[in-house]
Amino acid sequence: MSTQEAVRHVEGEVRELIRRSGLDPASDTKAVRRLVQDAVQDYDERSLHGGMPSLGDHRLAVQSILAVVAGYGPLQQYFDDPAVEEIWINEPSKVFVARGGVAELTPTILTADDVRDLVERMLKSSGRRVDLSSPFVDATLPDGSRLHVVIPDISRTHWQVNVRKFVVKADHLDDLVRLGTLPRQAATFLEAAVASGLNVLVAGGTQAGKTTLLNCLAAAITPRERIVTCEEVFELKIPQRDVAAMQCRQPSLEGTGEVPLRRLVKEALRMRPSRIIVGEVRQEESLDLLIALNSGVPKIARSHHGVTHRVRRRPATCRTSAWPAPAGANPRSPWPSRQPWRRPRGSPPPCAARRRRWPPPVR
C-alpha cells in the first residue's frame, strides 16, 4: 500500500467518524479539523507497529484529507491561494484560474462526476439548485465567493462552472488611493458626494472593480444611517453597523415563489432605509429604481455600462433615459386608447413645413 492509498484509508476512517459523530463538515470546521488530526496521528502510531506505510508529511496529509472531506477537493488549493482571483471549468480536463488578471491552465484533471459532486457541494449551503428546468444558477459560497453554473443543453457538452473569489483589496476610498486606483482629489469628491446624500451610479465592464468601489463608497456613509441592499446574490460586504441585506430567490420546481430584483427594490422602500444600494441594474428593476428616486432616499447602484466601445464614449448617466424600456408597458393606461393622429391630406410633412412657407403665397 502506497502513501496515496494510506491517505485514502485515513480518509475513509474520517468519513466514518464524521458519520457517527453527526458533525457537519461545512459548519463544524474546527471539530472536523481536530478529528482529522487525531485520525492521522492514530494511523501514524499504528503504522509504526503494524508494518503499514507511512503518511509522509503529516501537515500535507491533514490538508489533503480536509480538502476532500470538508473542502472542494482538487479545487481547494486554489481557494486557499490568495493570489487566485477566479476559478472556472470549461470541461473536466480544463480547469483555469486567474492570477493578477491573467488566465492560467492548471494541471488539475477532473471527471464529469467530480464536477457534478463539486457543484452539489457548493450549492448545499445556499439551498439553490441546478437542473433541466433551471439550467442556470447563481449562489454565494460560505467564504463570500460567487458561483455561477450552466449545464447542458444550454452549454454544449460539459458543465460550465465559474467561481469568482471575494478578494479583499480595499475597504475604504483611502485604500483605493493607496493602491493607485483613484487620485486623492477624486476620492475626496466621492466621499463628499456620498456624505451629502447624492445618488451614485457605478458603471463599468466585467471585472472592472464595481463591487470593490461600491464597498468603499458604502464605507463613507455615516454610522447613524440605515442601509438596505438589494442583490441577485450576496456579494457586498458593507462595513457598517445597521445593514439589511436581501437577495433574489429562484422559482421552485412548480415555477412559483420567485423573488426578482425588482421586487426587492420595492420592498426596500418599506424598511425605513436611509440609503438603498442595488447590487446590479440591468433589467426591468431599473424602472422601479428610477421611480424610487422620487422618494428622497439616496441610492447607490451598479450597472454593466461600458461593455461596448460606443457606450464607453458616452456617459452612463445619458443612457439611464433608456432604462425603463425593459420594463415593458408599465404602467398601463386605464383609459381607452384614442385614435392615432393623422396628418391632413395635402399638408406637408413636419420637416417640409420648417423648410418653406405653407400654404404658398398667392401671386
Side-chain angles (χ1 to χ4, degrees):
M1 188 167 59
S2 62
T3 302
Q4 293 183 353
E5 293 177 348
V7 172
R8 295 194 188 98
H9 178 75
V10 179
E11 176 189 329
E13 293 180 352
V14 170
R15 291 183 182 275
E16 183 63 26
L17 291 174
I18 291 177
R19 190 178 298 110
R20 292 179 180 178
S21 59
L23 294 175
D24 184 5
S27 57
D28 303 329
T29 55
K30 293 183 179 180
V32 172
R33 176 178 288 274
R34 288 195 301 267
L35 191 147
V36 171
Q37 292 173 348
D38 295 341
V40 169
Q41 184 177 359
D42 179 69
Y43 179 88
D44 186 63
E45 294 177 356
R46 286 183 292 159
S47 65
L48 295 177
H49 305 284
M52 303 172 66
S54 174
L55 290 172
D57 190 348
H58 287 190
R59 183 179 59 86
L60 295 179
V62 170
Q63 290 181 354
S64 176
I65 296 173
L66 278 176
V68 176
V69 175
Y72 301 120
L75 300 184
Q76 187 61 41
Q77 55 180 325
Y78 307 121
F79 281 90
D80 297 336
D81 190 351
V84 174
E85 302 170 350
E86 190 164 357
I87 309 166
W88 65 94
I89 303 174
N90 292 344
E91 58 184 72
S93 60
K94 292 183 179 179
V95 180
F96 292 83
V97 298
R99 289 187 177 93
V102 180
E104 302 176 8
L105 178 61
T106 67
T108 303
I109 298 179
L110 307 172
T111 64
D113 293 335
D114 292 338
V115 175
R116 293 188 182 94
D117 292 341
L118 286 171
V119 171
E120 291 179 0
R121 191 179 304 180
M122 293 176 181
L123 292 176
K124 181 180 178 181
S125 60
S126 66
R128 302 196 175 195
R129 74 181 197 283
V130 58
D131 49 32
L132 293 178
S133 63
S134 179
F136 304 97
V137 67
D138 285 288
T140 304
L141 302 183
D143 63 347
S145 302
R146 188 183 69 182
L147 171 68
H148 179 74
V149 181
V150 184
I151 66 174
D153 59 347
I154 300 300
S155 60
R156 183 184 295 272
T157 305
H158 304 286
W159 288 33
Q160 309 291 323
V161 183
N162 282 75
V163 179
R164 182 172 297 179
K165 294 174 59 179
F166 184 75
V167 181
V168 181
K169 294 184 178 179
D171 294 325
H172 197 272
L173 291 173
D174 294 335
D175 298 331
L176 296 180
V177 175
R178 176 178 49 83
L179 295 172
T181 305
L182 284 179
R184 171 58 63 181
Q185 295 82 356
T188 304
F189 170 77
L190 290 175
E191 187 172 3
V194 173
S196 59
L198 297 181
N199 297 315
V200 181
L201 172 65
V202 180
T206 305
Q207 295 183 337
K210 301 183 297 296
T211 304
T212 302
L213 182 56
L214 271 178
N215 289 326
C216 295
L217 290 174
I221 301 175
T222 59
R224 294 183 177 275
E225 298 189 60
R226 174 172 170 79
I227 304 172
V228 180
T229 65
C230 308
E231 305 174 78
E232 292 184 349
V233 293
F234 291 128
E235 291 184 85
L236 299 175
K237 306 292 183 181
I238 308 298
Q240 299 291 351
R241 63 178 186 179
D242 191 358
V243 180
M246 297 186 293
Q247 71 172 355
C248 299
R249 185 176 65 189
Q250 63 180 160
S252 63
L253 293 174
E254 294 79 12
T256 60
E258 181 182 9
V259 180
L261 187 60
R262 185 175 187 181
R263 176 69 179 275
L264 298 184
V265 175
K266 293 180 180 179
E267 298 298 328
L269 294 173
R270 304 173 183 176
M271 301 174 64
R272 199 184 180 276
S274 302
R275 308 273 181 149
I276 296 179
I277 299 180
V278 182
E280 198 77 60
V281 179
R282 62 165 70 96
Q283 296 180 9
E284 63 270 7
E285 67 273 358
S286 56
L287 175 61
D288 299 275
L289 179 65
L290 292 177
I291 294 175
L293 294 176
N294 294 327
S295 64
V297 180
K299 313 294 188 304
I300 301 178
R302 184 181 65 173
S303 175
H304 263 294
H305 290 95
V307 178
T308 62
H309 294 287
R310 177 177 295 180
V311 177
R312 286 194 186 101
R313 292 195 297 265
R314 298 183 61 186
T317 52
C318 297
R319 299 185 58 83
T320 55
S321 59
W323 273 8
N330 194 356
R332 299 182 181 273
S333 174
W335 296 281
S337 59
R338 300 179 180 178
Q339 294 295 330
W341 180 84
R342 296 180 180 179
R343 181 166 50 88
R345 181 176 299 179
S347 62
C351 57
R354 289 193 296 267
R355 290 195 301 266
R356 62 180 180 176
R357 294 177 58 190
W358 188 267
V362 179
R363 296 181 178 176

